[in-house]
Amino acid sequence: MRRTRQLFAAFVCAVLALAACGSARPAPAQPAAPPAGSTDLNPHPRDALKAGGTLRLAIQQWITQYNVGQVDGTEGDGVSIVELVEPQLWILDAHGSPSLNPDVLVSAKVTATSPHQVVTYQLNPKATWSDGTPVTWQDFATQWRTRNGTNPAYQVSDTAGYDDISDVARGADDRAAVVTFTKPYPDWQGLFDPLLPGSALSTPDAFNKGWIEKVPVWGGPWRIGSMDKSNQTITVVPNEKYWGAKPILSSVVYRALDTAAMTDAYLNNEVDEAPARVPEAYRRLAGAPGTAIRAGGRWDETHVTLGKSGPLADVRVRQAIGLAINRPAVAAAQSAGLPFKVNVLSNHFFMPSQQGYQDTAGQYGQFDPARAGSLLDQAGWARPAGGGTRVKDGKPLRLTYVVSSGSTSDVPQLVQNMLAQVGIQVDLRKVPTNDFFGQYVDRGSFDLVSFRNVDEAFTTRLLAVFRSGGDQNYGKVGSPDIDRVLDEAATQTDRTAAIALYNQADALIWAAGHSVELFQTPEILAVRSGLANVGAYGLAGDRQMVDTGWLK
């Protein structure tokens, strides 16, 4: 599952954009960023919290598609809401390790490995959908059938894992689902989570259109209370029919705001949490009365995705872009004004300090504008005497960088200036925030674009991003070699061997010029100090917030 949110990060020292900060004063030493998996939640037992109360949160756009398996349903804020209102099979700890959610599962385990891997799920006998029907094996079967890619009428976001299943059958009773795989699949716990109601997915029309601006059937601890498009608010309230642990809060209100407005909304007491990873936002929020700054080490990366049309059809041009971007300068600029140093990211699959992380960028992640120029020369893009934009066959080397109008990020300007130094003209095209993903990113309508991928605890969920035919490979950059190594990694049950294969594939991804990793996006939040059990979740990602509440 890709969980995307448009990035927002302000950068300082404009000369960094020209990779020429040598005359600037050196930045003061900063401590290292929190390691991957660290959390900051203000933990308290449930009996220390007030019953009821409202939590007000900001989201970055109005959510249109709530089917998280549909191609337009992968926006991160929407996924987080769906995870509240639908059954989650697993609870992830701070390091991303899953354990059973007892509200939904009695057991789930591999029950056979030969001749095929078989996983048997035993559902909680109390698990019930909002329409009164029980949660059964048939919900697993429908989710598999609609998302395995065999019927193109279902516009799926990702088939990974589901396309490796040969059968989903009834077990000892209707509450038991027996899932048979065609080959070993070590990340099986990343499938069917959240579990969606089969009755609301079973036809292409229901799958593609039945979840637009609504959740037709629910089965989590929360339910949708109201959706107010005119005010851009979505309210969730406790599901009164839920059989498991009940939420302490009486409501959570999500309000769609441009990123630039979130800081002011928090300071004006309109929301109870705001991102503080932007230096200017951190400066304003850190000293606000009644505010706690909570920081952790999330799986959260910011990158530049490259397209494959026009000049970018030539791998040498894509490689030159990677060589022309001064990634350490970008990370250093992001660090300025924050409480810790932001990590440069040189791996598409693992975060710094996470098990498996190594620098796989190699020569393609080095800042080397001279070599970038040489590659562009080889590709036939000639630099005019005295500099300026390169030309080939009378046409300038001109690319479009799509930017969300609600973003406060200076990444596009920074990249624009850096690429200009090697003769690549970049035009910034601002588009409406609510259209950024659905109309541009998801449809590959860009040459360059930046956004974040978050909370990918299961590595196989990233296959759709990097496979040549992957549903989330928006730039369409890939190769048979990348596909081969990724497919081998996805079936490797030995974790050490799987990590080695993912890193082998990543070296090929860098060489192909698929995307340029920039930095591990810092997890820094301003939160009302009276809120407990919420904040920086580490590798666990967002939770169902049943234990979140206000201190007595």
Side-chain angles (χ1 to χ4, degrees):
M1 179 75 62
R2 173 183 63 97
R3 300 184 181 183
T4 54
R5 295 177 171 89
Q6 60 256 41
L7 59 89
F8 37 92
F11 293 85
V12 297
C13 187
V15 288
L16 275 174
L18 307 179
C21 268
S23 61
R25 292 181 180 178
Q30 291 176 291
S38 58
T39 65
D40 191 355
L41 301 169
N42 190 25
H44 283 80
R46 288 171 63 96
D47 60 13
L49 307 182
K50 301 175 184 176
T54 295
L55 173 61
R56 302 164 300 170
L57 300 174
I59 56 176
Q60 295 173 94
Q61 66 180 70
W62 177 255
I63 308 303
T64 300
Q65 176 62 263
Y66 284 89
N67 178 0
V68 296
Q70 207 270 348
V71 67
D72 294 326
T74 59
E75 201 284 319
D77 290 323
V79 173
S80 295
I81 293 172
V82 173
E83 288 178 340
L84 298 182
V85 302
E86 301 294 8
Q88 277 197 279
L89 307 187
W90 304 95
I91 300 168
L92 301 183
D93 67 15
H95 297 282
S97 297
S99 60
L100 290 173
N101 178 359
D103 287 355
V104 181
L105 289 176
V106 174
S107 64
K109 57 187 176 181
V110 176
T111 51
T113 57
S114 180
H116 301 290
Q117 176 177 306
V118 177
V119 177
T120 301
Y121 299 83
Q122 188 65 50
L123 288 158
N124 186 326
K126 297 180 181 179
T128 307
W129 297 112
S130 59
D131 60 6
T133 61
V135 181
T136 73
W137 71 275
Q138 292 176 326
D139 298 301
F140 283 79
T142 302
Q143 191 151 324
W144 162 61
R145 179 175 58 81
T146 58
R147 290 172 65 172
N148 62 21
T150 57
N151 186 344
Y154 295 95
Q155 300 167 3
V156 298
S157 60
D158 182 10
T159 63
Y162 295 102
D163 56 3
D164 291 324
I165 295 172
S166 61
D167 185 52
V168 177
R170 182 180 185 271
D173 55 39
D174 281 349
R175 297 287 191 168
V178 180
V179 179
T180 302
F181 290 80
T182 59
K183 52 190 175 183
Y185 193 74
D187 277 354
W188 60 269
Q189 290 155 311
L191 302 175
F192 304 105
D193 197 24
L195 185 64
L196 301 186
S199 63
L201 299 172
S202 57
T203 68
D205 194 62
F207 187 93
N208 298 323
K209 300 177 182 178
W211 295 68
I212 293 177
E213 297 188 350
K214 64 180 178 180
V215 176
V217 180
W218 56 93
W222 302 84
R223 64 175 177 84
I224 300 294
S226 64
M227 293 182 180
D228 186 342
K229 194 170 185 179
S230 61
N231 289 319
Q232 298 280 285
T233 58
I234 301 154
T235 301
V236 300
V237 298
N239 176 5
E240 59 275 5
K241 297 180 180 179
Y242 193 63
W243 58 94
K246 302 291 196 299
I248 291 174
L249 292 166
S250 58
S251 63
V252 180
V253 179
Y254 295 90
R255 180 181 173 192
L257 291 169
D258 284 344
T259 302
M262 291 183 184
T263 299
D264 283 332
Y266 181 89
L267 294 174
N268 292 334
N269 197 29
E270 297 168 7
V271 295
D272 298 310
E273 179 184 284
R277 56 185 165 270
V278 176
E280 175 63 14
Y282 178 79
R283 181 188 65 80
R284 297 180 64 199
L285 293 167
T291 295
I293 296 295
R294 298 178 187 172
R298 190 181 190 183
W299 201 107
D300 192 338
E301 59 81 53
T302 294
H303 68 276
V304 180
T305 286
L306 309 181
K308 197 184 177 182
S309 60
L312 295 177
D314 192 323
V315 66
R316 293 170 294 188
V317 177
R318 300 196 302 272
Q319 290 172 344
I321 289 172
L323 294 166
I325 296 175
N326 189 338
R327 300 186 306 121
V330 170
Q334 172 66 16
S335 301
L338 294 182
F340 52 78
K341 184 178 180 180
V342 172
N343 291 315
V344 177
L345 186 59
S346 295
N347 194 298
H348 289 86
F349 294 100
F350 307 106
M351 294 293 106
S353 78
Q354 185 183 5
Q355 181 190 12
Y357 181 84
Q358 67 181 60
D359 184 340
T360 51
Q363 60 178 318
Y364 301 106
Q366 298 297 315
F367 175 54
D368 192 343
R371 183 162 176 250
S374 177
L375 285 171
L376 293 171
D377 290 338
Q378 295 170 32
W381 293 98
R383 193 86 185 261
T389 302
R390 292 175 180 269
V391 177
K392 180 179 181 180
D393 299 329
K395 296 181 179 180
L397 181 46
R398 188 173 183 177
L399 304 175
T400 299
Y401 200 135
V402 174
V403 182
S404 167
S405 62
S407 172
T408 61
S409 172
D410 283 344
V411 167
Q413 291 87 352
L414 195 64
V415 171
Q416 179 188 48
N417 289 336
M418 288 176 174
L419 296 188
Q421 304 310 300
V422 298
I424 301 174
Q425 179 180 339
V426 175
D427 299 325
L428 304 184
R429 181 182 180 187
K430 287 204 169 186
V431 302
T433 298
N434 285 342
D435 293 341
F436 178 70
F437 283 111
Q439 300 301 318
Y440 293 92
V441 177
D442 293 350
R443 285 158 176 72
S445 299
F446 57 84
D447 292 322
L448 305 172
V449 70
S450 292
F451 56 91
R452 295 161 52 209
N453 280 325
V454 301
D455 300 340
E456 300 295 5
F458 297 100
T459 317
T460 48
R461 287 182 173 179
L462 290 165
L463 265 60
V465 177
F466 302 111
R467 279 175 169 161
S468 52
D471 301 296
Q472 296 168 32
N473 186 348
Y474 303 115
K476 305 305 179 187
V477 175
S479 74
D481 285 342
I482 293 172
D483 295 346
R484 174 182 54 79
V485 180
L486 286 178
D487 288 345
E488 187 178 352
T491 61
Q492 178 54 255
T493 56
D494 181 286
R495 183 59 179 167
T496 300
I499 286 171
L501 286 166
Y502 280 117
N503 283 327
Q504 180 184 338
D506 202 30
L508 297 173
I509 290 167
W510 279 99
H514 174 282
S515 51
V516 181
E517 290 291 353
L518 297 176
F519 50 84
Q520 181 182 16
T521 309
E523 184 179 25
I524 311 174
L525 297 165
V527 183
R528 303 291 173 200
S529 54
L531 276 169
N533 303 323
V534 69
Y537 288 107
L539 297 182
D542 297 334
R543 299 178 181 175
Q544 288 191 300
M545 295 198 298
V546 293
D547 297 326
T548 299
W550 296 92
L551 292 170
K552 291 179 179 177

